[in-house]
Amino acid sequence: MFWVRFLVLALLSLAGVTQTSSSPTQASEPPNPTEEQPPLNTGSLSFPWSHLRLPEYIVPLHYHLLLHPNLTILSYIGTVRIELQVQNNTNWVVLHSKGLRITTATVLDQNLAHLSDQVLPVLHNPTHEQVAIFSPRALTGGQKYFLFLEFGADLGDGFYGFYRSTYRTSTGETRTLASTHFEPTSARMAFPCFDEPSIKANYSISIRRSPAHTALSNMPVVSIERNEVLDDGLMEDRFAVSVRMSSYLVAFIVCDFRSVSATTASGVKVSVYAAPEKWQQTHYALKAAVKLLEFYEKYFNISYPLPKQDLVAIPDFQSGAMENWGLITFRETSLLYNPTTSSASDRLWVTKVIAHELAHQWFGNLVTMEWWNDIWLNEGFATYMEYISVDTTYPKLRVDYLLDTCFVAIGRDSLNSSRPISSVAESPTQIKEMFDTVSYNKGACVLHMLRHYLTDQVFQSGIMRYLRRYSYSNARNQDLWDSLANTCPEEEFTSGGHCYSNSQAAKNYLYAGEHLDLTTMMNTWTLQTGVPLVTVARQGSRLVLKQERFLRTTHPSDPAWPSLQQGYLWHIPLTYRTDTSTSIHRHLMTTLTDSVEVGEEVGWVKVNVDMAGYYLVHYDGSGWDDLIQLLKNNHTALSFMDRTHIIHNAFQLTTLPADVTETVFSVGAQEDSGWASLLHIYTLSLSETHKHKILSALASSRDTNKLHRLLELGLEGEVIRTQDLDSLIVMVARNPRGHHLAWSYVQKYWSTLVDKFQLGSFSIRNIIIGTTGQFFSTEELTEVRVFFESIHEQASQLRVTQVAMDNIQKNILWMQRNLGTLRSWLNQQTEERKGEGGRGICYLNLITVISRTF
């Protein structure tokens, strides 16, 4: 009976607008259809829409959403009243819904009168995750209406939509909470909505809960009401109306967490929430969040638009964090920091993730990409801004990790299966795959290159202009280039004027005596696959340059090489330094071959200064020897980043002192008693960073039976959380005793893994790449290909399957070219150094030999 009464009250409180004087929580009932009227006959109706994207003739303006999650029976019910602006005459309202039980659908006019006296039919299109509501009376273009829906669902057991999470106290008690994760296409799993990034609206959210719990949402609570009508002891939290935002940024949580709070200089209340016994681990995150939020307000010269910012550590969380506006959710390892057990690298990670998510409050939330093909406008910027912000606010952390970020991007981009930064993505699976190395890492590296080319001041002014111009709206690649190229005075911009025409927008920035066509230049980096290799050769006083696509899966002698190079051309902002000047020289290379004057007296040339550019460099002739001699004689003549750049494929230097905890654990895990002891400690530990190190050590065991047991525990999800299963599988795969075991496990439990993590998610991609990355034989390549063919319907939707096979092919080619030489050299060194104890020297020589094979 309670659920029936709840639905009745929900209908009254959300559909009505006039309150009676007798009770502040009771709303008058709008005109209702005659009771017991049969539903309209749906036999002659077919689903009215055939496209993946929603029709544009109905626009939601405001959602009034009421939810009541029951943490005992793990389900929830809710109602939503959506204010709609209708552009064209229509009998249909089409929106998104996935896995929801919609029990009632009603359309009301502006006076809250029902358009029909019968129950409206709801048609479903599960393939497109859409529902359509039919109104026998047409909705008139130019008018506003209200769509009222009652719905319910189980709290999800995965990591998307409105899902359940649990944690265990030190006394062994298991407690349940409910949290959300909607990006990219899972708001539709929590409530019926127009679930596309360009369809922004305001949200008024109310949540019913027990007094023992706390409810959180994007905005602060404005009132708390006790349900006196039903007398069930429940509280109803009503949150302030949100700013206009995309559906994927909506968030709500019901939990029993504790928090710490502080206020920024501009008056924003910042709070960090965690499970009660982990509350003491929230203090560093609070300090960092306040400091970083203040930095961004100053850097962007745009105030944070909400009155509060919450950061919440969720026990079960698939990704690192999620930038919900005003309510950021984190994996515990990405937010909690324990000075006693956490390492310096843990501190850096927490700082980076907080910086990344706070950057999203402007890049992504305030200004959102128009569609998921340009998700890099969110993720690339947030990744790059985390580097800028942490480097400024925490200089002692030595944030040199941008080099590693770009090295990872180049590794992916050197495969033929890579993709352009801006790529076609329509289906939910294709959209999930866009959250990858290309969007995050390459996007950040291309922005880094652009910033150094335009100068810091021009870059910063341009992105401020971009954020102001498209606030609470959406943008595309071209809008960013126009904003960066626009040099109109600030007062003209703020008054709404434009000092350029569309045809001139990309050509009015004067750089080094040349007009910079920014759109043409940047299109070569965002609409084209791959990374360029610039070959440099000295010819007299000139530096001769040649560019080509860098590929590690195909050799120039391969017949396919010319076709893989055809049509590729980048506009490369080259930088170089010589021994005759401390200046950084610049040149924009826009052709396949080019040359620059450097002078006869120049001894050495280092191209791509500090690796500010996203391209590789090969030195023909004596170029490499000149640099090697320089490093021997005076290595400080080149910066740390330049030295790292030169040898990055062989030896990536590091952001910090080495952590020895994991090494000690790994040694202990090789003995039976040590392994069992570590597993026991793992089950008791309240530190997620500590547990991650233990899990890595457990997976390093040489006993395959223990590795089997770990994988079984990961699948069960009790001792080892499901959120850590993908990491565990990759850890086992990296173990020489475990890589075939992990691959067999993936093949056996593929369907289960897809059910848990969703096709196209980061976890599925991580599992595929991680378990196949150790393969280097044609037999293994064939085995992988056969498996992918056996799941063709799913594999055909995934770009990552081709990436995996490209990686194996790359490994095969490397072995064919280098294994014989390397084996001979190692045998020779072993014989020469027997009894010398010269392992350190041998290691350095090995690095030298390997680096010369690239």
Side-chain angles (χ1 to χ4, degrees):
M1 278 299 295
F2 164 71
W3 297 103
V4 175
R5 288 184 293 164
F6 171 80
L7 286 173
V8 172
L9 183 63
L11 178 61
L12 296 179
S13 63
L14 283 182
V17 293
T18 306
Q19 293 185 342
T20 65
S21 58
S22 59
S23 172
T25 61
Q26 188 176 20
S28 63
E29 183 179 358
N32 282 320
T34 304
E35 293 186 6
E36 305 301 330
Q37 284 291 324
L40 288 169
N41 181 14
T42 61
S44 60
L45 297 176
S46 58
F47 203 85
W49 191 249
S50 60
H51 304 285
L52 274 169
R53 298 200 202 181
L54 295 176
E56 298 179 353
Y57 54 78
I58 293 184
V59 179
L61 302 177
H62 197 144
Y63 292 78
H64 296 263
L65 179 63
L66 171 63
L67 295 164
H68 178 200
N70 187 315
L71 300 185
T72 302
I73 63 174
L74 302 178
S75 64
Y76 69 98
I77 55 175
T79 62
V80 63
R81 188 184 79 208
I82 311 174
E83 182 180 359
L84 305 174
Q85 178 69 56
V86 177
Q87 311 287 1
N88 302 330
N89 295 349
T90 181
N91 291 90
W92 293 95
V93 179
V94 180
L95 68 164
H96 287 111
S97 175
K98 180 181 180 182
L100 301 175
R101 299 181 293 272
I102 299 177
T103 55
T104 302
T106 307
V107 176
L108 311 171
D109 64 17
Q110 294 185 76
N111 299 316
L112 298 180
H114 292 270
L115 266 64
S116 173
D117 59 359
Q118 292 180 294
V119 177
L120 300 184
V122 181
L123 275 63
H124 295 260
N125 183 348
T127 303
H128 290 178
E129 302 176 355
Q130 296 171 356
V131 293
I133 292 88
F134 176 76
S135 172
R137 177 178 159 191
L139 283 62
T140 305
Q143 298 296 314
K144 292 181 180 178
Y145 295 88
F146 294 93
L147 173 65
F148 181 83
L149 301 171
E150 296 176 348
F151 59 94
D154 294 330
L155 289 170
D157 59 359
F159 303 97
Y160 289 94
F162 196 17
Y163 70 95
R164 62 181 182 264
S165 176
T166 60
Y167 70 93
R168 188 175 298 172
T169 68
S170 58
T171 60
E173 178 189 0
T174 298
R175 297 183 180 177
T176 302
L177 62 138
S179 183
T180 59
H181 187 112
F182 293 161
E183 189 181 35
T185 61
S186 295
R188 65 193 69 173
M189 296 174 66
F191 62 99
C193 57
F194 296 76
D195 199 11
E196 294 180 3
S198 63
I199 308 179
K200 295 192 171 186
N202 300 102
Y203 291 81
S204 295
I205 296 175
S206 298
I207 297 178
R208 291 204 176 138
R209 59 170 176 85
S210 73
H213 289 103
T214 298
L216 301 172
S217 190
N218 305 84
M219 302 297 290
V221 172
V222 292
S223 68
I224 302 176
E225 306 291 342
R226 184 176 294 277
N227 195 340
E228 297 177 355
V229 175
L230 299 182
D231 193 26
D232 52 14
L234 294 178
M235 313 297 290
E236 181 175 310
D237 294 316
R238 298 177 181 176
F239 297 89
V241 179
S242 77
V243 296
R244 288 187 72 246
M245 61 183 182
S246 304
S247 55
Y248 78 88
L249 295 172
V250 175
F252 31 87
I253 299 171
V254 177
C255 63
D256 66 347
F257 288 177
R258 292 184 62 189
S259 67
V260 292
S261 300
T263 304
T264 68
S266 62
V268 178
K269 183 181 179 181
V270 179
S271 302
V272 181
Y273 289 81
E277 292 183 355
K278 297 179 181 180
W279 172 77
Q280 291 294 339
Q281 301 176 41
T282 60
H283 296 284
Y284 175 76
L286 178 65
K287 180 181 177 181
V290 169
K291 196 171 186 178
L292 288 162
L293 196 62
E294 291 174 342
F295 167 83
Y296 284 132
E297 286 191 312
K298 183 177 180 181
Y299 186 90
F300 298 135
N301 196 24
I302 299 174
S303 298
Y304 175 75
L306 305 187
K308 63 94 174 177
Q309 176 65 74
D310 296 335
L311 300 86
V312 187
I314 305 298
D316 297 285
F317 202 82
Q318 185 175 6
S319 56
M322 175 58 209
E323 66 269 18
N324 316 299
W325 214 346
L327 183 61
I328 305 174
T329 47
F330 295 77
R331 182 179 281 223
E332 289 184 329
T333 52
S334 301
L335 186 66
L336 304 182
Y337 177 78
N338 187 335
T340 304
T341 60
S342 301
S343 65
S345 59
D346 296 331
R347 183 183 179 214
L348 174 61
W349 173 250
V350 168
T351 311
K352 285 169 51 181
V353 177
I354 293 173
H356 183 104
E357 303 309 322
L358 288 177
H360 271 310
Q361 307 304 298
W362 285 264
F363 282 101
N365 299 9
L366 185 64
V367 179
T368 312
M369 75 278 139
E370 189 172 281
W371 185 250
W372 300 106
N373 62 302
D374 280 333
I375 186 59
W376 84 278
L377 290 174
N378 287 20
E379 300 302 346
F381 258 112
T383 302
Y384 188 47
M385 287 310 302
E386 86 183 39
Y387 165 78
I388 293 176
S389 63
V390 176
D391 191 44
T392 302
T393 56
Y394 288 90
K396 291 184 179 179
L397 290 181
R398 294 183 60 203
V399 191
D400 297 322
Y401 63 83
L402 187 67
L403 285 177
D404 288 330
T405 297
C406 297
F407 294 156
V408 171
I410 288 171
R412 167 67 187 276
D413 242 2
S414 66
L415 304 179
N416 193 42
S417 55
S418 189
R419 65 169 182 86
I421 286 179
S422 184
S423 301
V424 175
E426 292 295 328
S427 71
T429 297
Q430 291 172 337
I431 291 168
K432 289 186 183 74
E433 278 206 297
M434 293 294 288
F435 292 78
D436 64 358
T437 299
V438 175
S439 291
Y440 286 75
N441 297 50
K442 183 178 180 179
C445 297
V446 167
L447 289 171
H448 181 64
M449 176 175 66
L450 183 59
R451 176 190 176 209
H452 278 261
Y453 191 58
L454 295 179
T455 72
D456 291 355
Q457 182 179 356
V458 171
F459 181 82
Q460 185 175 356
S461 297
I463 61 175
M464 285 193 296
R465 188 176 297 111
Y466 168 79
L467 289 172
R468 291 184 180 181
R469 172 67 180 85
Y470 298 100
S471 289
Y472 306 105
S473 187
N474 298 83
R476 299 172 297 169
N477 273 352
Q478 186 62 55
D479 300 320
L480 176 62
W481 311 145
D482 289 349
S483 298
L484 287 167
N486 177 9
T487 57
C488 65
E490 184 68 17
E491 58 272 15
E492 289 190 35
F493 175 79
T494 54
S495 65
H498 296 276
C499 60
Y500 59 84
S501 67
N502 289 336
S503 61
Q504 295 170 332
K507 293 191 175 183
N508 65 355
Y509 176 64
L510 192 66
Y511 184 81
E514 302 171 344
H515 281 289
L516 174 62
D517 187 342
L518 194 61
T519 296
T520 300
M521 171 185 168
M522 294 312 298
N523 281 349
T524 69
W525 296 99
T526 60
L527 304 182
Q528 184 171 236
T529 303
V531 57
L533 169 67
V534 176
T535 300
V536 179
R538 289 285 299 278
Q539 288 187 6
S541 64
R542 299 194 70 80
L543 205 61
V544 178
L545 310 168
K546 181 185 75 172
Q547 65 163 286
E548 61 185 337
R549 184 184 177 191
F550 177 65
L551 286 168
R552 297 193 64 193
T553 52
T554 310
H555 194 268
S557 61
D558 193 303
W561 180 262
S563 63
L564 294 174
Q565 294 291 335
Q566 188 173 1
Y568 282 91
L569 174 68
W570 286 266
H571 287 196
I572 306 174
L574 289 170
T575 57
Y576 61 95
R577 179 183 287 146
T578 72
D579 59 342
T580 61
S581 171
T582 58
S583 300
I584 297 176
H585 304 277
R586 304 173 187 273
H587 175 73
L588 184 61
M589 183 181 184
T590 60
T591 54
L592 290 175
T593 58
D594 204 346
S595 67
V596 294
E597 179 71 28
V598 294
E600 294 280 0
E601 69 280 6
V602 168
W604 55 262
V605 178
K606 167 63 176 67
V607 179
N608 198 358
V609 178
D610 289 337
M611 201 183 165
Y614 185 71
Y615 56 94
L616 293 97
V617 181
H618 170 64
Y619 298 90
D620 230 351
S622 64
W624 280 116
D625 291 332
D626 293 340
L627 290 173
I628 291 172
Q629 193 60 43
L630 171 67
L631 292 174
K632 287 181 178 179
N633 296 338
N634 180 20
H635 71 277
T636 59
L638 296 179
S639 69
F640 160 76
M641 288 186 286
D642 270 336
R643 298 195 304 270
T644 306
H645 176 219
I646 289 174
I647 58 173
H648 81 272
N649 282 332
F651 194 57
Q652 294 186 12
L653 295 175
T654 57
T655 59
L656 291 170
D659 294 321
V660 298
T661 307
E662 191 170 328
T663 303
V664 173
F665 286 163
S666 296
V667 172
Q670 304 312 312
E671 301 294 331
D672 289 348
S673 58
W675 196 91
S677 178
L678 282 170
L679 183 60
H680 179 66
I681 294 172
Y682 179 89
T683 62
L684 299 178
S685 176
L686 294 177
S687 169
E688 291 302 316
T689 56
H690 200 231
K691 293 175 72 172
H692 184 81
K693 293 179 175 65
I694 295 174
L695 192 61
S696 178
L698 291 170
S700 72
S701 172
R702 292 184 290 268
D703 186 338
T704 55
N705 290 326
K706 291 184 172 63
L707 300 181
H708 264 294
R709 185 182 175 195
L710 277 182
L711 293 173
E712 289 171 356
L713 290 173
L715 195 65
E716 291 169 3
E718 294 293 330
V719 176
I720 300 174
R721 289 185 176 277
T722 303
Q723 69 169 19
D724 298 318
L725 178 56
D726 63 323
S727 297
L728 171 63
I729 294 171
V730 174
M731 289 173 183
V732 172
R734 288 173 180 165
N735 185 335
R737 299 286 181 92
H739 64 265
H740 284 107
L741 174 65
W743 172 240
S744 298
Y745 175 90
V746 170
Q747 295 178 87
K748 181 177 180 180
Y749 294 106
W750 172 255
S751 296
T752 303
L753 293 173
V754 170
D755 288 341
K756 288 181 179 294
F757 295 117
Q758 293 197 358
L759 197 65
S761 66
F762 169 80
S763 294
I764 291 296
R765 300 198 306 271
N766 193 32
I767 289 169
I768 291 175
I769 295 296
T771 54
T772 59
Q774 313 296 322
F775 294 163
F776 53 83
S777 70
T778 54
E779 293 79 11
E780 289 165 328
L781 178 61
T782 300
E783 181 182 340
V784 171
R785 181 181 291 113
V786 168
F787 174 68
F788 287 157
E789 289 172 352
S790 71
I791 56 167
H792 174 73
E793 184 176 345
Q794 294 172 321
S796 62
Q797 301 179 59
L798 295 172
R799 185 182 287 109
V800 73
T801 55
Q802 188 57 50
V803 173
M805 292 197 290
D806 274 0
N807 270 327
I808 300 172
Q809 185 64 46
K810 176 191 68 177
N811 293 344
I812 292 171
L813 290 174
W814 193 95
M815 295 291 284
Q816 291 172 347
R817 294 172 190 163
N818 301 302
L819 183 59
T821 302
L822 191 58
R823 182 183 285 122
S824 298
W825 185 87
L826 284 171
N827 289 336
Q828 178 185 349
Q829 296 299 311
T830 301
E831 291 298 321
E832 291 179 357
R833 299 183 184 279
K834 278 182 179 178
E836 294 182 9
R839 187 175 67 175
I841 298 174
C842 180
Y843 172 73
L844 292 176
N845 286 338
L846 176 61
I847 290 293
T848 302
V849 169
I850 292 176
S851 67
R852 288 176 178 169
T853 66
F854 289 99

